[in-house]
Structure formats: C-alpha cells, structure tokens
C-alpha cells in the first residue's frame, strides 16, 4: 500500500510540474494529503480488509471525508468565495481593457480578457454590460473577426446600449458587414484552407438505418477481455444558472475533470425541466442494461435518450484504488458544498435529503465518467510561422466512447468545427476486426513503460494491445532518414494549401493500404502521423493567421 501511495504522489508531482496549476489547486492537494495521512488511512485499510465494493467504499468514506472538510474549514483554507455581480468592478475592468486597446499599446488579447471579465461582473441589462460588449466588438473588428464583431454589436443593443452612442455602433456594424462580404468572396476563389470555410467529411459506406452518423459496415459486440462495448438564453437555462457562481473557484482550485462533471450535471438537470426530483424518478426507473447507444434509433432519440447513453458510460469505479476513490470524494464534497451554497439547488436539496444525496452521487459518478471517457478536442493553432494541433476543450461522445484502447490505434478522432467528432480509419482493418482508439497513449510517441503507467493510473487497466505485447518502439527522430521524411512532409503541409494536402493524403492512404504488414516500421508510422495531420488540416477548426498572432 505504501509503495502504491508513493507512486501516486510521484505521479501527482509530475502532473503539477507539467500543468499550469494555481496555488489554490496545489493547496487543495496538500490538504488532501494531510487528510489521508492523519485521518483517512485506517478507513481505507478497513475497506481493503473487508473487501468492500466500490459502492460500499464510497458509503464508508464519504461521510468521514465530509466531516473532515467541515471540521477543518477546508473551503475557508482554499479561500473559496462567491463571485457576485458588481457594476463598479465591471467599470474598472472595462477601463483597464481600454488602456490595453489604446493605439499606443494595441494589446488586443489582453483587452478582450478584461472586457470578458467586465461582462461577467456586470448586471444583466445594465449599461455597463452593453458598453463592454460594444468595446469587445471594436476589438473583433480590428482583429478581422467580423462575425464575432456583429454578434457583440447585437449583444450590446440587447443590453440597453446608450441611445447617444448608437450611431457609432451602426457605423461599426456597416463596416463589419462589408468586410465580412469581401472575406467570403475571397475565400470562394482561394484554394487555401480558411477558418471560415471548413469542408464536411463524408462516410465511406452507406449509413446505418438507426444511426445516420455511423457507417453500416460496423456492428457492436461486447468483449469480455476489455469489459466494455466495442445561443445565450439556451445556455443559461441549460447550464450557466448552475455554474455562474462556481466558475472562478472551479478554474483556480480544480483540474478539468470536476469542471466537466458539473457541466454534465447541469445539462442532466436541464434535460428534466430543471427539476432534480424528476431526474431522480427517471434514474430510479432506468434499466441501465437496456441502454445501448449503438442500437438506439438516433433519428427518433429524445434529449432524455441521449442523456441515458452518457449516464451509463463506464466509470471503472470497481477497479480503482481506494485512495483514488477518496480523492474523488474529496473533490466531489467540496463541489457539492459550493453548489448548495451558491446555486438554486441549495434550497431544493436542503428541503429533500434524497435529492441532496443524489446530487453528491452524480458529481462523483460523472467525475469517474469524465476521467474514463472524455476526449480531447483539437484545432490548428498558429504558432509563429506554422500551425500545430492543440487541444482546446474536452467532450464526451457516447458512441465514440465505446471504442476500446490500443497503443497502436487503427482509427483517429478528428474534431470538426461545429464541435462534433469524426472517426477516421488510419490503418487497414480486416473484416470482423475491432476498431481501436488511443487514450492519448500511442506507441509512436511513448515507450511501453510510460504508456502502461499512464493507462494504469488514469483508466485502471493493464494494456495488452499488440504494441504492448510486442513492445513496439517509438519513432526515432535521430535517424537521418526519418528526419528528412518528416521535414519533407512538413514542407508540404505547412502552407495549409488544400490542393496539396489532398494530393499528399491520397498518396499516403495508398501507401498505408499497401503496407499493413510492414507496421510498425518507422516509414509506415511517419506516413500514418502525416495522414492524420492532413485530416486535421482539412477538417479541424483553424485559428487565424499571423495577422491574428501579432495581437
């Protein structure tokens, strides 16, 4: 046990060294370690000796952790504080933004951040909010984000923009519309991939009758080895009403998993008319064994049907060590406390202990689901003279989450501009074979020992894929032949010219289809990486060019 704890601490040390983590997030980790070392060890030992199930372990630990958090004033020690609307602060932030926008400064990105904060602190419908929107529209115009400019102008008017300034807003609107029309005409005659013109990928086979987003050559089978199956008002009603008072503390104190879990809970409650008791009744009646996103008729699926497919995603809770379970309970309890204190769910849960317990259970469950099933969304980010693939968000896709892992995957997830995720085959797949995704642990970039550690800690399984069984090597970039090949491909892709990208992609597809038995030779792996990069260039969202970067 002590050896495992040491390994966990080493892993968490690595995490905090490589991530951008606030002091309050580090303090939270220190408080958890203190609780574990001085208070929780006997209870965890008891759970292990009694061979308690994951559910029983949670029932044992949750009350103890909750009491410790309250008795040691953890929320106060983490300096958790409720943000309230404050027009005076909004005015101050907008004034600071104006300084960043000044012609002698032109730090537009910093100005936008300050205007965003001003909007967040301003009262709904206030003049202060309308002025911040209007100022933000000016920045968008300067940065040639014409659609964003027009949207912010609309928001300014909707927020009671002062009558005496409307002429200025009309002039800006006219300028943005004219510039947008010219940009679209230019895009129509250009072969270069533009952030405003992203092509739509098409399925290579006819669609499944019940799932138009899936090719009909695929079927779903359970695998015993793997244990799983192969606009603003709307935003407010759906989740912002539950998140608004939490976001600042959540971003500074928690990693991404709890944040996404809260969003999932907010959407779940909104799906059931913002009535937690209706949600509970639904879950009590739900037979999870009958929920199957692959056989469900997506043409007729309701929002509640879609919710079901996410709610039943694997949690791996039974496989997790008690210490990890305790860490999730620690986070979930703090979040639960903040939700009760700062949102409309507080009075509801206070009046109904059953609903109160449901909320805590859902926070914990969705944290596990996010950890096991979330997928990184990427885009083409401009980084001084070149574009690179960068992650910008995380999503849970109920069908894609059914794909099992391999360190030598045969499919690749590509984030489309509208937030959907497409799955492309990147290696030949024999009829009847399984599709494998990579859970961010690919042999081409990580050695086996590192992959095994990552997968064990994050997903609680030991990988036995072909790459781990036969110990496939990572690509050796020190070999001259590999460097030359990579540089050659890079020289073609760096301009993002769609004609050249498509031509290269066609050549790579042919090569990969003709050489499956050579895998994992470096030449094949390099071709596969370049093929994936070609897909990203054609279908990912792309950030603005160098003109945007200088801001």
């Amino acid at each position: 046990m002590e050896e495992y704890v040491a390994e966990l601490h080493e892993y968490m040390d690595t995490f905090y060294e490589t991530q951008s983590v606030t002091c309050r997030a580090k303090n939270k980790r220190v408080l958890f370690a203190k609780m574990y070392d001085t208070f929780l060890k006997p209870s965890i030992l008891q759970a292990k000796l009694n061979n308690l199930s994951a559910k029983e372990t949670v029932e044992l630990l949750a009350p103890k952790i909750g009491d410790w958090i309250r008795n040691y004033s953890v929320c106060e020690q983490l300096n958790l504080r409720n943000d309230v609307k404050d027009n005076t602060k909004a005015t101050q932030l907008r004034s600071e933004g104006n300084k960043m926008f000044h012609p002698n400064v032109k730090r537009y990105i910093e100005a936008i951040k300050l205007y965003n904060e001003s909007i967040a602190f301003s009262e709904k419908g206030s003049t202060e909010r309308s002025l911040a929107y209007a100022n933000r529209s000016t920045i968008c115009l300067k940065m040639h984000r014409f659609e964003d400019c027009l949207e912010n102008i609309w928001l300014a008017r909707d927020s009671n923009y002062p009558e005496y300034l409307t002429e200025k807003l009309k002039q800006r609107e006219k300028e943005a519309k004219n510039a947008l029309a010219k940009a679209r005409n230019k895009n129509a005659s250009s072969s270069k991939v533009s952030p405003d013109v992203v092509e739509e990928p098409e399925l290579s086979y006819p669609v499944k009758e019940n799932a138009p987003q899936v090719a009909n050559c695929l079927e779903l089978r359970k695998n015993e080895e793997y244990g799983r199956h192969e606009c603003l008002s709307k935003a407010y009603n759906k989740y912002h009403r539950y998140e608004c008072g939490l976001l600042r503390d959540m971003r500074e104190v928690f990693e991404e998993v709890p944040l996404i879990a809260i969003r999932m809970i907010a959407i779940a409650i909104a799906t059931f008319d913002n009535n937690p008791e209706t949600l509970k009744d639904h879950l009590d009646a739900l037979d999870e064994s009958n929920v199957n996103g692959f056989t469900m008729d997506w043409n007729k699926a309701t929002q509640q049907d879609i919710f079901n497919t996410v709610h039943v995603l694997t949690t791996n809770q039974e496989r997790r060590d008690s210490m990890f379970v305790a860490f999730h309970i620690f986070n979930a309890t703090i979040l639960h406390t903040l939700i009760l204190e700062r949102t409309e769910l507080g009075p509801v849960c206070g009046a109904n202990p059953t609903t109160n317990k449901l909320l805590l259970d859902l926070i914990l469950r969705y944290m596990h689901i996010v950890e096991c099933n979330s997928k990184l969304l990427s885009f083409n980010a401009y980084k001084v003279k070149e574009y690179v693939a960068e992650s910008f968000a995380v999503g849970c896709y109920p069908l894609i989450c059914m794909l099992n892992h391999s360190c030598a995957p045969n499919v690749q997830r590509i984030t489309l501009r509208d937030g959907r995720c497409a799955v492309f085959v990147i290696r030949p797949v024999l009829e009847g074979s399984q599709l494998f995704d990579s859970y961010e642990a690919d042999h081409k970039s990580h050695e086996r020992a590192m992959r095994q550690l990552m997968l064990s800690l994050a997903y609680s399984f030991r990988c036995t894929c072909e790459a781990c069984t036969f110990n496939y090597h990572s690509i050796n970039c020190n070999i001259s032949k590999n460097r030359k090949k990579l540089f050659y491909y890079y020289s073609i892709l760096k301009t993002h010219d769609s004609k050249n990208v498509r031509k290269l992609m066609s050549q790579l597809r042919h090569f990969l289809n003709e050489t499956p038995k050579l895998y994992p030779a470096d030449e094949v792996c390099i071709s596969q990486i370049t093929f994936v990069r070609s897909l990203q260039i054609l279908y990912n969202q792309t950030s603005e060019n160098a003109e945007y970067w200088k801001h």
Side-chain angles (χ1 to χ4, degrees):
M1 177 66 181
E2 295 301 326
E3 182 179 339
Y4 179 84
V5 172
E7 184 182 61
L8 174 63
H9 280 299
E10 182 180 351
Y11 171 77
M12 294 182 76
D13 284 338
T14 303
F15 172 84
Y16 279 96
E17 286 173 6
T18 58
Q19 303 290 321
S20 176
V21 180
T22 66
C23 290
R24 290 204 285 167
K26 293 179 181 178
N27 289 342
K28 176 172 66 72
R29 177 199 168 197
V30 169
L31 287 170
F32 173 76
K34 178 181 178 181
M35 179 190 70
Y36 177 82
D37 291 334
T38 63
F39 173 73
L40 208 58
K41 276 185 181 179
S43 298
I44 289 182
L45 181 60
Q46 178 186 344
K48 288 183 174 293
L49 291 176
N50 295 336
N51 199 25
L52 299 184
S53 67
K55 183 178 180 180
E56 291 169 332
T57 300
V58 170
E59 290 174 350
L60 172 69
L61 298 181
K64 297 177 183 291
I65 293 174
D67 289 342
W68 193 90
I69 287 174
R70 284 184 289 273
N71 292 338
Y72 281 83
S73 304
V74 169
C75 291
E76 287 77 7
Q77 291 192 60
L78 293 175
N79 193 27
L80 300 178
R81 60 196 185 280
N82 191 7
D83 279 332
V84 296
K85 300 299 181 184
D86 184 343
N87 278 338
T88 301
K89 188 166 185 177
T91 302
Q92 177 188 348
L93 288 163
R94 187 170 61 82
S95 177
E96 292 175 11
N98 292 342
K99 293 175 183 176
M100 293 294 103
F101 175 68
H102 192 278
N104 294 335
V105 180
K106 292 186 178 180
R107 295 180 60 183
Y108 294 157
I109 299 299
E110 294 303 316
I112 278 189
K113 290 178 182 178
L114 290 163
Y115 292 150
N116 289 346
E117 291 241 6
S118 176
I119 291 166
F121 276 102
S122 63
E123 296 280 357
K124 183 179 180 180
S126 64
T127 300
E128 189 50 54
R129 176 171 291 194
S130 71
L131 291 172
Y133 279 133
N135 288 3
R136 198 166 67 176
S137 73
T138 306
I139 296 279
C140 293
L141 183 62
K142 289 287 186 182
M143 295 170 64
H144 294 182
R145 299 180 66 106
F146 305 123
E147 290 182 347
D148 290 335
C149 174
L150 293 172
E151 182 178 356
N152 276 277
I153 289 172
W154 178 85
L155 290 169
R157 288 180 177 142
D158 195 54
S159 298
N160 299 316
Y161 191 69
E163 185 70 28
Y164 70 93
L165 293 174
T166 53
E167 194 58 40
K168 184 189 296 186
L169 211 59
K170 285 180 182 178
Q171 186 62 36
R172 190 177 307 144
E173 182 179 39
K174 181 180 178 181
E175 188 177 346
K177 285 181 177 179
N178 290 338
L180 182 61
K182 288 181 181 178
R184 285 174 173 167
N185 290 334
K186 184 178 180 181
N187 283 334
S189 60
S190 173
S191 66
K192 195 170 182 178
V193 178
S194 163
D196 293 319
V197 182
V198 179
E199 300 182 47
E200 181 87 1
E202 297 180 355
L203 292 175
S204 304
Y205 292 84
V207 303
K208 283 181 73 71
E209 186 176 343
N210 66 307
Q213 70 273 46
V214 179
N216 67 0
C217 61
L218 300 177
E219 63 176 320
L220 182 70
R221 297 177 184 169
K222 184 157 182 167
N223 185 298
E224 295 303 326
E225 176 185 357
Y226 291 93
R228 59 156 64 179
H229 293 91
E230 306 172 353
C231 80
L232 293 182
S233 60
K234 184 177 179 182
Y236 174 80
N237 288 324
K238 206 166 187 179
Y239 47 80
H240 190 66
R241 63 198 292 176
Y242 304 114
E243 293 178 342
C244 183
L246 310 175
L247 282 176
R248 184 181 298 273
D249 279 339
M250 287 170 64
R251 291 187 183 281
E252 292 189 12
V253 177
F254 297 98
E255 297 77 57
E256 65 185 19
V257 169
L259 274 75
I260 303 166
I262 293 298
R263 170 65 60 88
M264 290 173 67
I265 289 169
I267 293 175
I269 295 173
T271 300
F272 293 89
D273 299 322
N274 294 300
N275 189 331
E277 294 183 12
T278 304
L279 170 60
K280 183 182 183 307
D281 292 340
H282 174 84
L283 293 176
D284 288 342
L286 181 65
D287 184 352
E288 296 186 14
S289 63
N290 288 334
V291 178
N292 188 326
F294 205 82
T295 58
M296 181 178 79
D297 190 343
W298 286 83
N299 296 298
K300 301 177 181 178
T302 66
Q303 288 300 310
Q304 294 184 8
D305 293 329
I306 297 171
F307 160 77
N308 291 343
T309 64
V310 176
H311 181 78
V312 302
L313 290 173
T314 186
T315 64
N316 276 348
Q317 193 166 315
E318 290 291 344
R319 296 182 178 185
R320 296 191 181 277
D321 184 89
S322 300
M323 185 174 181
F324 270 103
V325 174
F327 186 62
H328 280 309
I329 295 173
F330 183 76
N331 282 326
T333 304
I334 296 173
L335 285 173
H336 182 247
T337 301
L338 296 182
I339 290 173
L340 296 183
E341 290 177 352
R342 303 182 185 180
T343 76
E344 62 194 69
L345 293 176
V348 176
C349 292
N352 190 329
T354 305
T355 303
N356 189 43
K357 183 179 183 302
L358 171 69
L359 179 60
L360 179 60
D361 290 345
L362 287 179
I363 295 172
L364 191 57
R365 178 180 185 132
Y366 290 164
M367 282 170 60
H368 285 302
I369 286 177
V370 170
E371 195 158 66
C372 293
N373 298 279
S374 60
K375 309 298 180 186
L376 292 174
L377 281 63
S378 64
F379 76 113
N380 297 313
Y382 186 82
K383 295 291 182 183
V384 187
K385 297 185 180 180
E386 66 174 335
Y387 289 92
V388 297
E390 277 198 359
S391 60
F392 69 94
V394 174
C396 279
Y397 300 89
L399 289 177
I400 294 174
C401 288
M402 294 181 181
L403 294 169
N404 286 310
H405 165 79
S406 172
C407 299
N410 51 23
V411 299
Q412 173 70 35
R413 288 172 275 112
I414 300 292
T415 308
L416 306 183
R417 192 183 185 203
D418 60 7
R420 291 179 300 157
C421 197
V423 175
F424 289 83
V425 174
I426 58 174
R427 287 176 62 190
V429 180
L430 295 175
E431 183 178 354
S433 298
Q434 187 175 170
L435 298 182
F436 287 105
D437 190 10
S438 170
Y439 297 174
E440 318 304 335
D442 194 308
H443 81 88
K444 293 184 284 295
S445 53
H446 297 93
E447 296 294 344
R448 181 170 63 179
M450 176 58 72
R451 300 196 310 269
Q452 292 281 357
L453 178 61
M454 291 164 59
L455 294 167
S456 175
L457 289 171
Y459 299 99
S460 303
F461 72 86
R462 180 175 179 78
C463 186
T464 58
C465 72
E466 60 174 291
C468 289
T469 300
F470 299 108
N471 196 16
Y472 288 173
H473 61 273
S474 57
I475 294 176
N476 188 349
C477 293
N478 292 322
I479 298 176
S480 175
K481 181 174 68 173
N482 290 347
R483 287 202 309 272
K484 288 180 180 178
K485 181 67 72 174
L486 287 166
F487 181 79
Y488 169 71
Y489 288 147
Y490 167 75
S491 66
I492 296 175
L493 299 180
K494 68 177 182 179
T495 62
H496 278 217
D497 185 286
S498 61
K499 184 177 179 180
N500 290 338
V501 172
R502 286 191 176 281
K503 182 179 178 181
L504 177 61
M505 191 170 72
S506 177
Q507 295 170 355
L508 293 170
R509 182 190 293 113
H510 177 76
F511 176 76
L512 292 170
N513 281 328
E514 293 296 317
T515 57
K517 293 183 179 179
L518 295 182
Y519 195 87
D522 281 353
E523 184 179 7
V524 179
C525 289
I526 289 172
S527 297
Q528 187 187 93
I529 289 173
T530 309
F531 181 72
V532 169
R533 186 72 191 113
S534 301
L535 292 170
Q536 291 170 334
I537 289 172
L538 288 174
Y539 300 118
N540 266 177
Q541 183 172 356
T542 299
S543 73
E544 283 72 6
N545 58 18
E547 290 302 309
Y548 172 78
W549 178 261
K550 71 183 181 182
H551 300 303

